[in-house]
Amino acid sequence: MSADDTIETIIGRFGKYQTWILFLISIGRFPTEYQLSNVVFIVPSVEYVCMDENAYNMTNHCPCENPQYDQSSIVNSVTSTWNLICDKNMLASLAQSILQVGILVGSIIYGHVSDRYGRKFASLLSLASQVVFVPLSSLSSELWMFIVLRFFIGTATGGTILCCYIIIVELGGKSFRPYLTGFIEIPYILGYITLPIIAYYIRDWRQLQMVTSLPWIFVIFYYFLIPESPRWLITMGYNKKAVEVLTHMAKKNNMPTDNIKELVDVAVMETQSSRTKQYGSYLDLFKTPKIRAYSLIMAYVWMCCAHTFFGINQYIGRLQGNIYLNVLVSSINLFPVLIIVVLASLYIKRKIAVVLSFVVSGLSLLLFIVIPSDMRAIELTFAIVGQIGARAAFILVYLYASEVFPTFVRNSAMGFASVFARFGGFIAPFVVNIGIEWVSIVIFSILAFCAAFLCCFLPETKDIVLLNTIDQTEKSKRHKITT
């Protein structure tokens, strides 16, 4: 019996205790979800009238030393605070992209911390860091201070996304994993929906940053309420602690506790027999052929996925019409994603589901090019369809990667892939700001199709038991590099 079969036998596939943990982590993630989506409100592309002597009150004239900004939508933004227009426009792109750089660094750091020191410690550290740096950013008096703090917000965001996802997946059984793809996504969509509503009433970026960090108070209690991942404890050989955690969880779920110690001892022995070292590292991703191939392919897939999704998000914020309504409509339309990914995870093979999501996103964006600019409703519809496809792919890729890699290097592997995802997210604003609409859209489409093609070389993982060690993965017949 494998460790994963043991855990599901002991605590059930996903009982009321795991549901409580999911609720706590979802609440704590709200500051993170707001930071992922708020760039269209705090660093927007703004209209202005140039009040320079020789500018003749022209709109968006460059160069311009005395701009008078349009405050009908956003009263005060990072763009208007530091005049990030004309020759400073690249600084606006940097202020948008630096979050992705931070997420890149945070994914590396927290991926290693989680595999070395535990899922609980890494999750709590990332959540606590988030609620420190977000309020501080609202107090920035200089642009460089905002950019530095935005970077640190990114590091915490990267850790929160990665570590909270892994600990939830590892607390559940394999038969419930398809449903988790939808449940884990709920805080992001709720944050995305509530953000334009909050931003509509709070149109100053400093106040918006402060208000959207309020859920931090829940983090204080997390140390006492969130357990360590029993899968990680078993993989590391901490069988006594694993028995304590599993016994506590079994009691909360009204499951029998008679033979927990015996089952854990067997699982630990199986894991130890196929493990040659105590801790995993990023180097372990490149020492064996299958893990090496999976790591490189996943990294590029994640890069294409993030580039397309974050690019579409920022592009929707620039469409004609009311910015708050555009973002609200696009966020509400992400609700079908929850149903789509759950059904896809239940009834479609992982590889096919991911490939189809990328193809839908790429095709809808190509069709977007030929739509006349005066057909705003249809234009927004195809942009949202592309966004839905990209978001579904992003969610499914997270699940796919967590199943492809063993527990020993799971967080490190996903952290490595996330590095490339953040590189894709980093360059997305620069692609949006190219200035030639069809060129930007074609780039997003091509990368979506590239990701779909690369997924064909990964193994099928639907309904597999999560493996614990690299040796188990290398010897697994289901883990074949396919074409």
Side-chain angles (χ1 to χ4, degrees), residues 135-179:
L136 284 178
S137 71
S138 67
L139 304 176
S140 301
S141 58
E142 301 289 341
L143 177 61
W144 68 266
M145 294 173 62
F146 173 79
I147 290 175
V148 169
L149 288 168
R150 189 78 171 159
F151 168 81
F152 284 116
I153 291 170
T155 61
T157 299
T160 301
I161 294 171
L162 190 65
C163 300
C164 290
Y165 182 89
I166 291 297
I167 195 170
I168 289 296
V169 168
E170 292 185 349
L171 284 174
K174 78 178 177 97
S175 62
F176 197 75
R177 213 179 299 148
Y179 299 98

Side-chain angles (χ1 to χ4, degrees), residues 79-97:
T79 309
S80 60
T81 298
W82 288 293
N83 292 327
L84 303 184
I85 57 174
C86 299
D87 58 339
K88 293 183 179 180
N89 188 53
M90 294 301 290
L91 290 176
S93 296
L94 178 61
Q96 294 170 340
S97 298

Side-chain angles (χ1 to χ4, degrees), residues 100-265:
Q100 299 295 331
V101 179
I103 296 176
L104 182 154
V105 174
S107 299
I108 297 175
I109 295 173
Y110 284 100
H112 175 72
V113 169
S114 180
D115 281 339
R116 182 69 184 268
Y117 300 105
R119 312 315 197 203
K120 177 179 178 178
F121 175 75
S123 298
L124 292 176
L125 181 61
S126 62
L127 287 167
S129 299
Q130 184 74 255
V131 298
V132 170
F133 295 125
V134 172
L136 284 178
S137 71
S138 67
L139 304 176
S140 301
S141 58
E142 301 289 341
L143 177 61
W144 68 266
M145 294 173 62
F146 173 79
I147 290 175
V148 169
L149 288 168
R150 189 78 171 159
F151 168 81
F152 284 116
I153 291 170
T155 61
T157 299
T160 301
I161 294 171
L162 190 65
C163 300
C164 290
Y165 182 89
I166 291 297
I167 195 170
I168 289 296
V169 168
E170 292 185 349
L171 284 174
K174 78 178 177 97
S175 62
F176 197 75
R177 213 179 299 148
Y179 299 98
L180 281 178
T181 58
F183 287 127
I184 293 175
E185 188 69 4
I186 289 175
Y188 173 78
I189 294 181
L190 289 180
Y192 199 7
I193 289 174
T194 55
L195 179 63
I197 298 173
I198 297 172
Y200 179 81
Y201 292 101
I202 302 176
R203 303 195 177 193
D204 182 284
W205 73 271
R206 296 183 189 275
Q207 297 176 19
L208 183 62
Q209 283 287 82
M210 190 67 73
V211 170
T212 53
S213 67
L214 289 180
W216 69 268
I217 193 169
F218 289 92
V219 178
I220 298 173
F221 306 102
Y222 281 13
Y223 178 81
F224 306 100
L225 298 174
I226 296 179
E228 181 56 84
S229 165
R231 301 184 195 277
W232 181 83
L233 292 170
I234 289 174
T235 302
M236 294 296 107
Y238 301 134
N239 53 331
K240 183 178 179 180
K241 182 63 177 177
V243 169
E244 292 178 4
V245 172
L246 289 170
T247 301
H248 177 72
M249 294 178 68
K251 289 179 179 178
K252 293 290 184 180
N253 287 338
N254 298 319
M255 299 287 289
T257 60
D258 300 336
N259 59 343
I260 291 180
K261 186 178 185 304
E262 290 76 13
L263 290 172
V264 170
D265 287 341

Side-chain angles (χ1 to χ4, degrees), residues 40-60:
V40 297
F41 297 115
I42 67 172
V43 195
S45 177
V46 294
E47 299 285 325
Y48 63 91
V49 174
C50 186
M51 305 302 291
D52 289 359
E53 184 177 349
N54 297 322
Y56 306 107
N57 294 337
M58 294 179 63
T59 301
N60 299 337

